[in-house]
Amino acid sequence: PALGLFLFTIARDPLRIIILIAGAFFWLVSLLLSSLIWFIAVKASDPRDEPLQKGLLIFGVMFSVLLQEAFRFLYYKLLRKAIEGLVALSEDGCSPISIQQMAYVAGVGFGLMSGAFSMINLLADALGPGTVGIHGDSQLYFLTSAFMTMVLIFLHTFWGILFFHGCEHRRWWEIAAVVVMHLAVSGSTFCNPLYVGSLVPSYLLMAAAAAWAYLLSGGSAQNLRRFLLCK
Amino acid sequence: MLTFMNNSDSEEEPCNERTSLMSAESPPVPSYQDGLQASEAGEVQAHRKRRTGSSRSPNNVADGDMSDSGVPVRESASENEEEELTLKYGAKHVIMLFVPVTLCMIVVVATIKSVRFYTEKNGQLIYTPFSEDTPSVGQRLLNSVLNTIIMISVIVVMTVFLVLLYKYRCYKFIHGWLILSSLMLLFLFTYIYLGEVLKTYNVAMDYPTLFLVIWNFGAVGMICIHWKGPLQLQQAYLIMISALMALVFIKYLPEWSAWVILGAISIYDLMAVLCPKGPLRMLVETAQERNEPIFPALIYSSAMMWTVGMAKPDTAARGPSQQTWDAAEDGRENHRNPSHADSRMSETRNPVPTRPITSFEELEEEERGVKLGLGDFIFYSVLVGKAAATGSGDWNTTLACFVAILIGLCLTLLLLAVFKKALPALPISITFGLVFYFSTDNLVRPFMDTLASHQLYI
């Protein structure tokens, strides 16, 4: 579905593709830094201590989430400046791409990159021979991974919109809400392989974020009804 | 600067590649440039758009009968319109370069992942005589550095040789050399490649069919690249030979040497393009002085221009008919990229409001693309291919390098807009790519593997 989003909404406009790739790049850099921190922590600690490793992993995850949001903020700043430049260039005072579109594209960029990194090794291994969950792990590993990745991509998109909106209107609570939601989703994955604990809350959060972003972008229940009925 | 698309093979001709990125026009008008730069803050997309704007402006201004009326009008009223229009087109040009680079990388990565042949070590090129199977790390490092030095010096010598030939107008020799090398590429490497692919998928093909296929492929390729042909077909062929070349490099360069060579080449590229006595810079300047295009076999251009039989070689004629005007030199090709047709452009382009007519007296819109050297394609693909081949078979690394290279390309194009002269395309992208490769391979991979094994998501 994320690929469909990409094809239908982004691939037409080259500017959006550039913003997408840049968004992916920013996510990548944040991942790099967070894994650097984790790596240092792991190297500095005892590799045989299981709970410590688990704890470090959790710490790494949380830190990575925070870094991702920080980079989203940096990306927002960069795009702000770019918008000013575009506005100055254009003839009628409004840029060819609005900040909301940029938010959407940036969110998709982040999401695609995170999804790709989460899924692609799995997909490559899925092509090969093997049995899922042979060591007593869950047999639904691939399925749940796929769903989780999808929900994460969508969430990143919505968070992008919410985040930028919050930055635009200086509503810090919105930004904080995004960060908290991200932490919650990542934290819920700690319940894996108890999939109920992670998938269900994530989907609920996604629905909430989707509705919120939709409302923020100017939609309303009436629009939705009109769209669904009179096409 | 130029890209010399030659083949280096183990035993055959000594050739090499050069790379750079060139904006395909004569030096821009200073006044327009200043006006341009004053109106913008330094932003990412803005610069990118400006590149196209400035790339188009010299053509307008350079035109003899338009220059006087052109400049003041442009600077006042139509400047904003042009900027506005160049926004989308600027981004479009970046995409026009993204797509072929992406395609080349995809081809290389797909081949590396599926065909075993290119990851087996079957010997080395004679340009890298030192083996890397040495027991100690220090020895290996030393060998790779020595390999790099030899390779780079070979490349330098060839480039200087080519530049000298160009300076002294030995066109026949250069053409013959290029034809020979592209001949070899198209036939020999394609044969090997096809053979390996067929072997991998266990598809049988008899020799007559093979001969027919390769002959057709090669013949059409030669015609397309060196003579005339549809633009997209030419682009496709250039992408294919870049991919083939990159595959050869990936196969025949030992590991550490490959990385050191990549680093050294980007440094060399930087110097060769930017230093006043650099060979590539001299080549481009000479080409611009003589108003000739650089050999089509070495450069990937995203759009071609009409060349009209007038004093200004860079004017373009618009229209559906694809007529070819032969210019003085034989290397010039005139094709039109129909996807860039836009009537708005032509109206705002001309200070004198003219209709888009296919008359070559009037200055119509030109579709100027950005030119990227083929060696750039090759080395980008080598980087990504090596990442795919040796990065523990990890897709994350490949993806990370891919994004890094694209971002480097964006930044380079941005700088092109700022500086408006030929720039080396390698350094930034290769630096990003190398940094991301090594860091992803060593840092991110354990992290992501651990996360995936616990099915955690960040």
Side-chain angles (χ1 to χ4, degrees):
Chain A
L3 216 59
L5 262 184
F6 169 71
L7 283 176
F8 284 123
T9 57
I10 297 186
R12 294 300 159 78
D13 190 6
L15 195 54
R16 297 186 199 170
I17 295 185
I18 296 175
I19 300 180
L20 183 93
I21 303 277
F25 180 69
F26 271 81
W27 188 89
L28 198 61
V29 176
S30 86
L31 179 68
L32 202 70
L33 289 176
S34 51
S35 60
L36 176 69
I37 305 279
W38 178 81
F39 193 73
I40 294 176
V42 164
K43 283 299 178 203
S45 70
D46 183 10
R48 277 176 305 270
D49 191 357
E50 267 301 318
L52 180 61
Q53 294 297 318
K54 198 95 198 304
L56 273 183
L57 199 61
I58 295 181
F59 160 70
V61 169
M62 294 299 156
F63 191 73
S64 174
V65 168
L66 293 175
L67 261 184
Q68 278 179 38
E69 299 304 323
F71 269 85
R72 210 196 292 266
F73 184 66
L74 282 178
Y75 194 42
Y76 165 73
K77 282 260 181 264
L78 182 69
L79 285 180
R80 272 307 268 157
K81 280 206 245 167
I83 277 243
E84 285 166 19
L86 287 178
V87 166
L89 283 184
S90 72
E91 58 182 0
D92 53 357
C94 65
S95 77
I97 185 167
S98 72
I99 190 78
Q100 279 118 351
Q101 286 178 352
M102 279 196 183
Y104 164 70
V105 176
V108 175
F110 268 56
L112 271 183
M113 204 59 191
S114 107
F117 262 67
S118 312
M119 264 312 271
I120 206 152
N121 279 332
L122 274 181
L123 285 176
D125 286 334
L127 282 178
T131 319
V132 184
I134 198 171
H135 281 203
D137 295 318
S138 157
Q139 287 184 334
L140 296 172
Y141 187 73
F142 283 141
L143 272 180
T144 47
S145 300
F147 278 113
M148 195 68 202
T149 310
M150 188 178 84
V151 80
L152 202 62
I153 297 180
F154 282 146
L155 274 176
H156 269 291
T157 314
F158 300 134
W159 286 334
I161 300 179
L162 295 173
F163 194 88
F164 279 39
H165 186 259
C167 290
E168 279 290 310
H169 299 265
R170 298 268 180 272
R171 294 198 201 147
W172 305 117
W173 61 274
E174 277 188 12
I175 302 177
V178 169
V179 178
V180 165
M181 262 203 281
H182 197 170
L183 282 173
V185 168
S186 289
S188 70
T189 61
F190 291 139
C191 303
N192 279 338
L194 183 65
Y195 292 122
V196 168
S198 71
L199 275 181
V200 172
S202 309
Y203 271 91
L204 288 177
L205 276 177
M206 182 187 89
W212 193 3
Y214 184 65
L215 289 174
L216 278 185
S217 312
S220 68
Q222 288 163 331
N223 275 352
L224 197 59
R225 216 173 299 143
R226 246 188 298 147
F227 167 72
L228 287 172
L229 291 181
C230 92
K231 181 63 195 313
Chain B
M1 296 310 109
L2 301 181
T3 310
F4 300 145
M5 185 38 226
N6 299 328
N7 338 327
S8 56
D9 196 88
S10 43
E11 295 79 35
E12 272 112 333
E13 320 173 2
C15 317
N16 46 49
E17 285 85 21
R18 283 291 65 82
T19 64
S20 62
L21 179 61
M22 183 172 80
S23 63
E25 70 275 352
S26 42
V29 180
S31 54
Y32 186 61
Q33 211 172 339
D34 293 340
L36 227 54
Q37 283 168 349
S39 68
E40 299 161 349
E43 276 96 45
V44 177
Q45 285 95 356
H47 281 147
R48 224 173 283 131
K49 313 318 164 262
R50 235 193 304 153
R51 176 195 41 78
T52 335
S54 55
S55 72
R56 290 168 194 276
S57 64
N59 305 315
N60 281 333
V61 183
D63 188 41
D65 42 349
M66 297 290 197
S67 56
D68 300 327
S69 58
V71 174
V73 174
R74 184 163 301 102
E75 290 211 45
S76 53
S78 56
E79 176 171 316
N80 285 335
E81 291 153 9
E82 283 183 11
E83 295 303 330
E84 217 275 345
L85 290 164
T86 60
L87 287 183
K88 282 197 201 142
Y89 288 95
K92 202 165 189 178
H93 282 260
V94 175
I95 301 299
M96 283 196 308
L97 279 187
F98 267 14
V99 171
V101 172
T102 313
L103 277 179
C104 195
M105 288 199 243
I106 287 178
V107 168
V108 170
V109 170
T111 313
I112 293 266
K113 287 286 185 187
S114 55
V115 179
R116 285 280 140 243
F117 172 71
Y118 286 105
T119 42
E120 299 158 3
K121 289 212 44 73
N122 268 344
Q124 298 182 196
L125 299 174
I126 59 169
Y127 307 117
T128 54
F130 295 97
S131 154
E132 284 200 3
D133 285 331
T134 57
S136 74
V137 171
Q139 182 77 1
R140 189 171 187 186
L141 196 61
L142 182 67
N143 278 351
S144 51
V145 169
L146 287 175
N147 278 340
T148 312
I149 293 178
I150 294 180
M151 189 89 174
I152 299 280
S153 44
V154 166
I155 290 177
V156 169
V157 163
M158 304 305 300
T159 314
V160 168
F161 185 52
L162 192 69
V163 171
L164 284 178
L165 284 181
Y166 192 69
K167 255 183 128 57
Y168 295 117
R169 297 182 186 263
C170 310
Y171 291 140
K172 293 273 186 240
F173 191 84
I174 295 182
H175 271 119
W177 183 10
L178 283 179
I179 288 181
L180 203 60
S181 55
S182 48
L183 207 80
M184 192 186 79
L185 250 195
L186 277 178
F187 286 111
L188 182 68
F189 285 171
T190 314
Y191 171 65
I192 296 178
Y193 178 75
L194 212 54
E196 291 307 321
V197 168
L198 290 177
K199 262 193 239 173
T200 309
Y201 289 110
N202 222 3
V203 173
M205 188 186 259
D206 49 324
Y207 274 116
T209 316
L210 191 69
F211 175 70
L212 201 65
V213 166
I214 291 193
W215 170 253
N216 282 340
F217 181 77
V220 175
M222 289 301 291
I223 296 179
C224 255
I225 298 178
H226 288 280
W227 195 43
K228 305 187 211 305
L231 180 69
Q232 285 185 332
L233 199 59
Q234 188 194 24
Q235 289 176 338
Y237 266 103
L238 289 175
I239 293 178
M240 277 192 274
I241 59 178
S242 307
L244 285 176
M245 199 62 217
L247 284 171
V248 166
F249 268 140
I250 294 176
K251 180 173 169 63
Y252 285 114
L253 284 181
E255 308 233 346
W256 288 19
S257 303
W259 298 114
V260 182
I261 284 181
L262 275 176
I265 278 236
S266 50
I267 297 178
Y268 165 72
D269 199 31
L270 195 65
M271 288 192 330
V273 172
L274 294 180
C275 292
K277 277 298 167 197
L280 295 180
R281 183 177 180 146
M282 288 192 340
L283 190 63
V284 167
E285 283 173 0
T286 323
Q288 279 176 353
E289 277 169 33
R290 298 183 196 165
N291 270 330
E292 297 165 356
I294 310 195
F295 310 102
L298 305 175
I299 297 265
Y300 177 94
S301 84
S302 43
M304 303 284 281
M305 285 103 27
W306 287 95
T307 309
V308 191
M310 320 202 301
K312 289 304 161 198
D314 295 326
T315 56
R318 186 166 176 269
S321 58
Q322 302 232 351
Q323 300 164 11
T324 313
W325 306 95
D326 278 338
E329 286 80 23
D330 52 349
R332 208 128 18 163
E333 296 176 14
N334 311 304
H335 297 280
R336 171 114 193 285
N337 191 344
S339 65
H340 295 265
D342 193 318
S343 53
R344 288 181 305 153
M345 279 288 305
S346 58
E347 276 155 24
T348 53
R349 283 273 136 225
N350 306 327
V352 177
T354 55
R355 297 293 210 69
I357 322 175
T358 50
S359 149
F360 60 92
E361 267 89 25
E362 262 120 8
L363 175 60
E364 306 282 353
E365 96 193 52
E366 54 272 353
E367 286 146 16
R368 196 171 284 286
V370 184
K371 291 199 195 319
L372 184 62
L374 279 189
D376 293 327
F377 278 89
I378 294 177
F379 284 111
Y380 292 160
S381 310
V382 167
L383 192 122
V384 176
K386 269 271 182 241
T390 66
S392 328
D394 194 21
W395 284 91
N396 282 344
T397 322
T398 315
L399 202 56
C401 287
F402 170 69
V403 173
I405 288 183
L406 284 187
I407 293 289
L409 194 61
C410 271
L411 286 178
T412 314
L413 288 174
L414 171 68
L415 284 183
L416 189 69
V418 172
F419 289 113
K420 293 185 186 48
K421 54 178 191 168
L423 283 183
L426 276 188
I428 301 182
S429 289
I430 299 267
T431 316
F432 274 6
L434 286 177
V435 163
F436 269 83
Y437 170 72
F438 284 114
S439 49
T440 313
D441 199 28
N442 297 328
L443 296 176
V444 176
R445 200 169 37 87
F447 188 44
M448 291 308 287
D449 285 343
T450 329
L451 284 184
S453 63
H454 295 275
Q455 216 176 10
L456 300 177
Y457 280 85
I458 57 167

